[in-house]
Amino acid sequence: MKRFDALLIDFDGVLRRWPDDDHLLEAAHGLPPGSLRRTAFAPELRDEALLGRISDEQWRERIAHDLQRAYPHSAAEQAVMRWSAAVGELDSEVLALLDACRPELRRVLVSNATSRLPRDLQALGLAQRFHAVVNSSELGHAKPDSYCLLAALAYAGVEAGHALFVDDDAANVAAAMALGAHGHHYREPAGLRQWLEEAGALCLDAQTPIWRTGERSASNDDDERSQRQR
């Protein structure tokens, strides 16, 4: 069996879930159903945040501004403030699978995310759970851009042929596989478990935590480089 040395895994839609209750927040603040996400994830505005051209705070200010302009009688600013307070919730089954992986398997989180990702990881208790974190808003490139995927492989310290890649977006999986990675289009934990077992990634009786003292994250490396450049 081919040996894999790294697991590159997506965050939202795989490890983190969001409650489907935006409609309640919208109704309470005079906004039509679906308007929050429709505005927040309009491609042009979304990409500005995910590629780091604007900060997470600026992104949320723009959401509130655009909503207020579209729905002048709403309480858009308060709605966005409450919407922004949530950090989502972890899928305990997926987290358990990460913990069950071979202890020497390098875990790299690869996320198309805003500048708020480090804060969310801290709030969810994940700040030290990965050998590296690749955040599109820090990198300036997002999945499925090969630049982002190659950066993740570099932080993992492996060639594509020795990497596992998990994402809930089929286009991202296809891009990783085109580079030579072994990809899995995530749908539910049972399928992920079977795939990890078949890849020889699981060591179900392992007791070693998946993080190690002294391991670095892409975010930390970038922070140090920024400090040296000032």
Side-chain angles (χ1 to χ4, degrees):
M1 178 184 293
K2 184 174 183 178
R3 183 178 179 85
F4 295 100
D5 299 314
L7 172 63
L8 280 54
I9 188 166
D10 185 26
F11 190 35
D12 289 314
V14 178
L15 188 54
R16 177 167 67 173
R17 302 177 300 190
W18 293 95
D20 186 20
D21 58 1
D22 285 355
H23 62 287
L24 299 175
L25 189 59
E26 289 160 340
H29 293 82
L31 292 167
S35 58
L36 271 168
R37 289 183 180 271
R38 187 165 56 248
T39 302
F41 300 110
E44 183 176 350
L45 180 56
R46 175 202 63 200
D47 291 350
E48 288 282 299
L50 295 185
L51 295 177
R53 295 168 186 157
I54 59 175
S55 68
D56 182 84
E57 292 80 5
Q58 291 170 321
W59 176 58
R60 295 174 193 277
E61 288 171 2
R62 288 271 301 276
I63 296 168
H65 175 270
D66 291 352
L67 282 169
Q68 195 64 58
R69 183 176 58 184
Y71 310 104
H73 300 296
S74 69
E77 184 175 348
Q78 291 84 350
V80 173
M81 187 179 302
R82 287 189 56 190
W83 184 71
S84 300
V87 294
E89 59 185 24
L90 296 178
D91 187 313
S92 59
E93 292 183 76
V94 176
L95 188 61
L97 288 173
L98 284 180
D99 286 338
C101 284
R102 302 192 328 263
E104 70 275 14
L105 190 73
R106 295 181 67 82
R107 286 83 164 167
V108 178
L109 188 70
V110 189
S111 181
N112 287 351
T114 72
S115 60
R116 198 178 89 163
L117 179 61
R119 194 194 88 179
D120 285 0
L121 293 177
Q122 187 71 42
L124 292 166
L126 294 179
Q128 303 300 320
R129 297 293 288 269
F130 297 95
H131 297 93
V133 174
V134 178
N135 181 353
S136 65
S137 63
E138 296 179 355
L139 197 61
H141 295 266
K143 299 175 292 184
D145 188 334
S146 61
Y147 187 99
C148 180
L149 299 173
L150 290 170
L153 290 168
Y155 277 112
V158 301
E159 296 182 355
H162 293 278
L164 300 168
F165 182 86
V166 180
D167 203 292
D168 68 327
D169 188 318
N172 296 340
V173 176
M177 293 178 69
L179 294 175
H182 184 44
H184 175 69
H185 183 199
Y186 177 82
R187 295 179 181 83
E188 36 79 27
L192 177 59
R193 172 182 287 278
Q194 180 178 349
W195 180 76
L196 288 170
E197 287 177 346
E198 292 172 352
L202 294 184
C203 180
L204 297 177
D205 59 349
Q207 299 298 316
T208 305
I210 68 174
W211 62 94
R212 302 174 186 172
T213 302
E215 291 289 357
R216 308 196 56 78
S217 76
S219 300
N220 289 340
D221 287 345
D222 288 342
D223 288 344
E224 279 199 4
R225 283 195 293 270
S226 296
Q227 290 292 335
R228 289 197 297 268
Q229 291 168 358
R230 290 177 182 172

